Amino acid sequence: MIRPILPVLAIMLLAGCGDSWRFQQGTGADPSLNRSAAPADAADQTPEALYAAGMQELRANRYQRAVDLFDAVEREHPYSTWATNAKLMAAYTDYYRNRYTEAIGALDRFIQLHPAHRDIAYAYYLRALAQYEQINDAERDQQQTVVAMTALQDVVNRFPDTTYARDARLKIDLARDHLAGREMHVGRWYQRQGLSGAAIGRFRRVVEEYQTTNHVPEALHRLTEIYISLGLTEEARRTASVLGHNYPGSPWYQDSYALLVEGARPASQDRPGFVTRAVNWLF
């Protein structure tokens, strides 16, 4: 997953605190073994000083210490503008170290309390990313995928002309491909078990509800296979014709053609996986 950039405001504040920096891509684990709370004299420090210290800890990948300092800003100086910024940065820090539940909770509170904040679009986007990065693989329950798509669509609806919306649209398409992949996984299982009716239902759903995904050619081919196995030759021919018309160069069409035309050769056994399909879709 690609980590989001920091809000413009945070970058400007960092520039005022020292030389420029950027996050290192990694696992998000906290390298510090001795986690310490905010300094005992936090009440005596200015909100600017506490915030700058929190950013310094974040820059050093000491995430828990950064969160403690951001929390201290809000606790000791709740009415300052720095407290509002600290809330957002604490949520970002939790997101960055893969504490998605904590990040989502903090962002929900931020959105509720500061709906007109200049970085509100980023808050919605970061919350959607925290949901998106919890998507399970296609063989598991996909409720989280639905939740993530809803959050991403919220970004698109509220801030349609932003870079956040553009990235959200891309992730929605990938999530839809993920849901279609789940339907294909279940459909193939039904087909192997000889449950033709259930398999047909899954494959037809992919064709009808996920038309823009890369799973449609295989779904049409699987339908052709099942219709042939049931002796529904004309239905198989119509399905293969749809496949050939829309995806003439697809190996799945070659396989379907081989099932219907004596002497025709099927395609090679190699089939692109999810990553390859995603790359092909992007480029």
Side-chain angles (χ1 to χ4, degrees), residues 37-147:
D41 61 343
D44 299 327
Q45 295 192 36
T46 65
E48 296 93 331
L50 289 171
Y51 189 95
M55 297 303 289
Q56 185 175 2
E57 294 298 314
L58 185 56
R59 176 173 57 187
N61 296 340
R62 291 188 286 268
Y63 304 126
Q64 185 59 48
R65 296 180 186 180
V67 170
D68 291 338
L69 285 160
F70 292 137
D71 288 344
V73 176
E74 183 179 359
R75 183 177 63 253
E76 302 297 340
H77 307 278
Y79 303 110
S80 70
T81 57
W82 296 91
T84 306
N85 300 334
K87 289 178 185 177
L88 189 56
M89 290 310 303
Y92 176 86
T93 305
D94 278 331
Y95 163 82
Y96 196 79
R97 59 179 177 164
N98 301 331
R99 293 194 172 188
Y100 301 124
T101 301
E102 292 87 341
I104 291 169
L107 289 164
D108 283 340
R109 292 189 294 274
F110 181 91
I111 290 169
Q112 182 178 6
L113 294 172
H114 309 285
H117 193 273
R118 58 184 170 273
D119 290 320
I120 192 65
Y122 180 80
Y124 274 94
Y125 173 70
L126 186 59
R127 185 178 66 173
L129 286 187
Q131 297 286 8
Y132 179 78
E133 294 196 14
Q134 297 182 79
I135 291 178
N136 295 318
D137 62 67
E139 297 183 6
R140 300 184 182 182
D141 179 74
Q142 294 302 301
Q143 180 58 36
Q144 181 58 43
T145 307
V146 176
V147 171

Side-chain angles (χ1 to χ4, degrees), residues 174-236:
L174 293 175
R176 284 180 59 79
D177 193 277
H178 201 74
L179 289 177
R182 171 64 178 175
E183 295 297 321
M184 292 300 301
H185 173 75
V186 175
R188 285 190 292 264
W189 186 86
Y190 282 141
Q191 186 179 7
R192 290 194 298 269
Q193 301 302 312
L195 303 173
S196 300
I200 288 173
R202 295 288 179 161
F203 295 139
R204 289 189 64 176
R205 185 177 180 186
V206 172
V207 174
E208 294 169 2
E209 298 184 19
Y210 299 101
Q211 297 178 5
T212 60
T213 71
N214 291 289
H215 294 279
V216 173
E218 182 186 355
L220 289 167
H221 170 68
R222 298 300 177 191
L223 287 169
T224 302
E225 284 184 326
I226 294 174
Y227 291 143
I228 289 175
S229 70
L230 296 175
L232 303 174
T233 306
E234 286 305 313
E235 190 67 28

